[in-house]
Tab-separated table of all heavy atoms in Angstrom:
chain	number	residue	atom	x	y	z
A	1000	SER	N	106.313	89.844	54.518
A	1000	SER	CA	106.087	89.364	55.873
A	1000	SER	C	105.213	90.351	56.621
A	1000	SER	O	105.341	91.555	56.463
A	1000	SER	CB	107.405	89.204	56.613
A	1000	SER	OG	108.165	88.189	56.026
A	1004	ALA	N	102.210	92.765	66.262
A	1004	ALA	CA	102.835	93.199	67.515
A	1004	ALA	C	102.112	92.635	68.737
A	1004	ALA	O	102.736	92.343	69.746
A	1004	ALA	CB	102.871	94.719	67.585
A	1008	TYR	N	104.620	87.713	66.585
A	1008	TYR	CA	105.062	86.727	65.611
A	1008	TYR	C	105.127	87.341	64.222
A	1008	TYR	O	104.566	88.382	63.956
A	1008	TYR	CB	104.143	85.504	65.589
A	1008	TYR	CG	102.718	85.810	65.150
A	1008	TYR	CD1	102.366	85.769	63.808
A	1008	TYR	CD2	101.740	86.139	66.068
A	1008	TYR	CE1	101.086	86.058	63.398
A	1008	TYR	CE2	100.453	86.439	65.664
A	1008	TYR	CZ	100.130	86.385	64.331
A	1008	TYR	OH	98.857	86.675	63.919
A	1009	THR	N	105.819	86.637	63.348
A	1009	THR	CA	105.961	87.074	61.960
A	1009	THR	C	105.325	86.031	61.061
A	1009	THR	O	105.508	84.842	61.264
A	1009	THR	CB	107.454	87.209	61.590
A	1009	THR	OG1	108.045	88.146	62.473
A	1009	THR	CG2	107.624	87.695	60.165
A	1014	ARG	N	105.357	82.764	50.824
A	1014	ARG	CA	105.273	81.348	50.477
A	1014	ARG	C	103.968	81.067	49.749
A	1014	ARG	O	102.907	81.532	50.142
A	1014	ARG	CB	105.341	80.489	51.725
A	1014	ARG	CG	106.698	80.505	52.371
A	1014	ARG	CD	106.748	79.665	53.594
A	1014	ARG	NE	106.163	78.352	53.336
A	1014	ARG	CZ	106.142	77.379	54.215
A	1014	ARG	NH1	106.650	77.560	55.398
A	1014	ARG	NH2	105.592	76.223	53.923
A	1015	LYS	N	104.037	80.288	48.694
A	1015	LYS	CA	102.847	79.963	47.905
A	1015	LYS	C	101.861	79.113	48.698
A	1015	LYS	O	100.665	79.177	48.470
A	1015	LYS	CB	103.252	79.238	46.624
A	1015	LYS	CG	103.976	80.115	45.638
A	1015	LYS	CD	104.256	79.349	44.363
A	1015	LYS	CE	105.046	80.029	43.313
A	1015	LYS	NZ	105.421	81.337	43.299
A	1022	LYS	N	92.549	85.884	60.321
A	1022	LYS	CA	91.646	85.430	61.386
A	1022	LYS	C	92.056	84.047	61.897
A	1022	LYS	O	92.082	83.803	63.097
A	1022	LYS	CB	90.207	85.396	60.872
A	1022	LYS	CG	89.212	85.011	61.935
A	1022	LYS	CD	87.793	85.079	61.438
A	1022	LYS	CE	86.860	84.692	62.565
A	1022	LYS	NZ	85.463	84.869	62.226
A	1025	GLU	N	95.163	84.359	63.993
A	1025	GLU	CA	94.835	84.907	65.313
A	1025	GLU	C	94.190	83.844	66.202
A	1025	GLU	O	94.475	83.776	67.401
A	1025	GLU	CB	93.939	86.127	65.159
A	1025	GLU	CG	94.698	87.327	64.605
A	1025	GLU	CD	93.804	88.523	64.273
A	1025	GLU	OE1	92.593	88.472	64.591
A	1025	GLU	OE2	94.334	89.489	63.704
A	1027	ILE	N	94.690	80.574	66.007
A	1027	ILE	CA	95.756	79.645	66.388
A	1027	ILE	C	96.536	80.208	67.568
A	1027	ILE	O	96.798	79.508	68.551
A	1027	ILE	CB	96.683	79.360	65.193
A	1027	ILE	CG1	95.951	78.520	64.146
A	1027	ILE	CG2	97.962	78.660	65.657
A	1027	ILE	CD1	96.688	78.409	62.821
A	1051	ALA	N	124.807	89.790	75.742
A	1051	ALA	CA	125.799	89.780	76.822
A	1051	ALA	C	127.069	89.040	76.396
A	1051	ALA	O	128.181	89.441	76.750
A	1051	ALA	CB	125.201	89.137	78.077
A	1056	LEU	N	131.312	87.424	68.801
A	1056	LEU	CA	131.946	86.258	69.408
A	1056	LEU	C	131.092	85.012	69.190
A	1056	LEU	O	131.623	83.944	68.891
A	1056	LEU	CB	132.175	86.494	70.905
A	1056	LEU	CG	132.884	85.378	71.662
A	1056	LEU	CD1	134.252	85.079	71.057
A	1056	LEU	CD2	133.016	85.748	73.134
A	1058	LYS	N	129.052	84.482	66.672
A	1058	LYS	CA	129.206	84.105	65.264
A	1058	LYS	C	130.530	83.379	65.044
A	1058	LYS	O	130.589	82.376	64.332
A	1058	LYS	CB	129.132	85.347	64.371
A	1058	LYS	CG	127.732	85.896	64.217
A	1058	LYS	CD	127.739	87.138	63.339
A	1058	LYS	CE	126.343	87.720	63.220
A	1058	LYS	NZ	126.324	88.943	62.393
A	1060	LYS	N	132.365	81.697	67.326
A	1060	LYS	CA	132.337	80.385	67.983
A	1060	LYS	C	131.449	79.410	67.218
A	1060	LYS	O	131.757	78.223	67.113
A	1060	LYS	CB	131.871	80.500	69.441
A	1060	LYS	CG	132.834	81.264	70.329
A	1060	LYS	CD	134.145	80.533	70.450
A	1060	LYS	CE	135.088	81.229	71.389
A	1060	LYS	NZ	136.390	80.579	71.481
A	1062	ALA	N	130.895	79.473	63.957
A	1062	ALA	CA	131.652	79.097	62.755
A	1062	ALA	C	132.718	78.065	63.099
A	1062	ALA	O	132.923	77.094	62.354
A	1062	ALA	CB	132.274	80.331	62.114
A	1063	GLU	N	133.406	78.255	64.229
A	1063	GLU	CA	134.421	77.288	64.662
A	1063	GLU	C	133.793	75.922	64.933
A	1063	GLU	O	134.340	74.897	64.541
A	1063	GLU	CB	135.138	77.789	65.921
A	1063	GLU	CG	136.052	78.959	65.692
A	1063	GLU	CD	136.606	79.546	66.985
A	1063	GLU	OE1	136.437	78.933	68.067
A	1063	GLU	OE2	137.210	80.633	66.911
A	1064	PHE	N	132.659	75.922	65.598
A	1064	PHE	CA	131.973	74.666	65.902
A	1064	PHE	C	131.539	73.965	64.615
A	1064	PHE	O	131.717	72.755	64.473
A	1064	PHE	CB	130.762	74.911	66.798
A	1064	PHE	CG	129.983	73.660	67.083
A	1064	PHE	CD1	130.438	72.727	67.989
A	1064	PHE	CD2	128.792	73.417	66.417
A	1064	PHE	CE1	129.725	71.565	68.241
A	1064	PHE	CE2	128.077	72.249	66.651
A	1064	PHE	CZ	128.546	71.330	67.567
A	1067	LYS	N	134.514	72.354	63.065
A	1067	LYS	CA	134.898	71.143	63.799
A	1067	LYS	C	133.957	69.991	63.476
A	1067	LYS	O	134.384	68.844	63.335
A	1067	LYS	CB	134.922	71.404	65.304
A	1067	LYS	CG	136.114	72.223	65.734
A	1067	LYS	CD	136.135	72.457	67.218
A	1067	LYS	CE	137.342	73.316	67.547
A	1067	LYS	NZ	137.630	73.391	68.946
A	1068	ARG	N	132.668	70.300	63.353
A	1068	ARG	CA	131.711	69.262	62.999
A	1068	ARG	C	131.998	68.712	61.601
A	1068	ARG	O	131.997	67.496	61.388
A	1068	ARG	CB	130.272	69.795	63.045
A	1068	ARG	CG	129.237	68.715	62.726
A	1068	ARG	CD	127.813	69.248	62.700
A	1068	ARG	NE	127.633	70.385	61.840
A	1068	ARG	CZ	127.516	70.316	60.490
A	1068	ARG	NH1	127.603	69.162	59.862
A	1068	ARG	NH2	127.326	71.413	59.786
A	1070	ASP	N	134.897	68.779	60.054
A	1070	ASP	CA	136.152	68.014	60.142
A	1070	ASP	C	135.897	66.616	60.715
A	1070	ASP	O	136.447	65.627	60.224
A	1070	ASP	CB	137.186	68.749	60.999
A	1070	ASP	CG	137.674	70.042	60.365
A	1070	ASP	OD1	137.459	70.240	59.140
A	1070	ASP	OD2	138.256	70.863	61.096
A	1075	CYS	N	134.927	60.681	59.692
A	1075	CYS	CA	134.030	59.530	59.867
A	1075	CYS	C	133.503	58.962	58.555
A	1075	CYS	O	133.265	57.764	58.453
A	1075	CYS	CB	132.813	59.940	60.691
A	1075	CYS	SG	133.128	60.262	62.424
A	1076	PHE	N	133.280	59.839	57.579
A	1076	PHE	CA	132.523	59.427	56.397
A	1076	PHE	C	133.259	59.720	55.106
A	1076	PHE	O	133.963	60.723	54.970
A	1076	PHE	CB	131.174	60.156	56.354
A	1076	PHE	CG	130.335	59.924	57.569
A	1076	PHE	CD1	130.188	60.913	58.524
A	1076	PHE	CD2	129.701	58.713	57.763
A	1076	PHE	CE1	129.428	60.697	59.662
A	1076	PHE	CE2	128.931	58.485	58.891
A	1076	PHE	CZ	128.793	59.473	59.843
A	1077	ASN	N	133.051	58.827	54.146
A	1077	ASN	CA	133.460	59.066	52.773
A	1077	ASN	C	132.319	59.834	52.122
A	1077	ASN	O	131.206	59.321	52.019
A	1077	ASN	CB	133.661	57.734	52.032
A	1077	ASN	CG	134.776	56.922	52.630
A	1077	ASN	OD1	135.893	57.410	52.757
A	1077	ASN	ND2	134.472	55.695	53.020
A	1084	LYS	N	131.840	69.938	52.107
A	1084	LYS	CA	131.632	70.981	53.107
A	1084	LYS	C	130.148	71.144	53.424
A	1084	LYS	O	129.691	72.199	53.834
A	1084	LYS	CB	132.219	72.300	52.622
A	1084	LYS	CG	133.734	72.261	52.489
A	1084	LYS	CD	134.293	73.654	52.513
A	1084	LYS	CE	135.775	73.648	52.326
A	1084	LYS	NZ	136.552	73.352	53.486
A	1102	LYS	N	132.675	54.875	67.777
A	1102	LYS	CA	131.254	54.717	68.122
A	1102	LYS	C	130.436	55.958	67.753
A	1102	LYS	O	129.307	55.834	67.291
A	1102	LYS	CB	131.106	54.395	69.613
A	1102	LYS	CG	129.683	54.077	70.001
A	1102	LYS	CD	129.564	53.637	71.444
A	1102	LYS	CE	128.120	53.276	71.728
A	1102	LYS	NZ	127.944	52.795	73.078
A	1103	SER	N	130.993	57.135	67.967
A	1103	SER	CA	130.249	58.360	67.636
A	1103	SER	C	129.866	58.396	66.160
A	1103	SER	O	128.780	58.834	65.800
A	1103	SER	CB	131.074	59.604	67.968
A	1103	SER	OG	131.391	59.649	69.323
Side-chain angles (χ1 to χ4, degrees):
S1000 294
Y1008 64 89
T1009 301
R1014 290 180 48 176
K1015 291 184 184 352
K1022 183 176 181 174
E1025 288 173 7
I1027 290 169
L1056 182 58
K1058 286 179 182 179
K1060 294 295 183 183
E1063 289 172 10
F1064 177 76
K1067 286 181 181 192
R1068 182 183 53 79
D1070 293 344
C1075 289
F1076 302 105
N1077 296 305
K1084 294 201 183 279
K1102 186 175 183 178
S1103 300

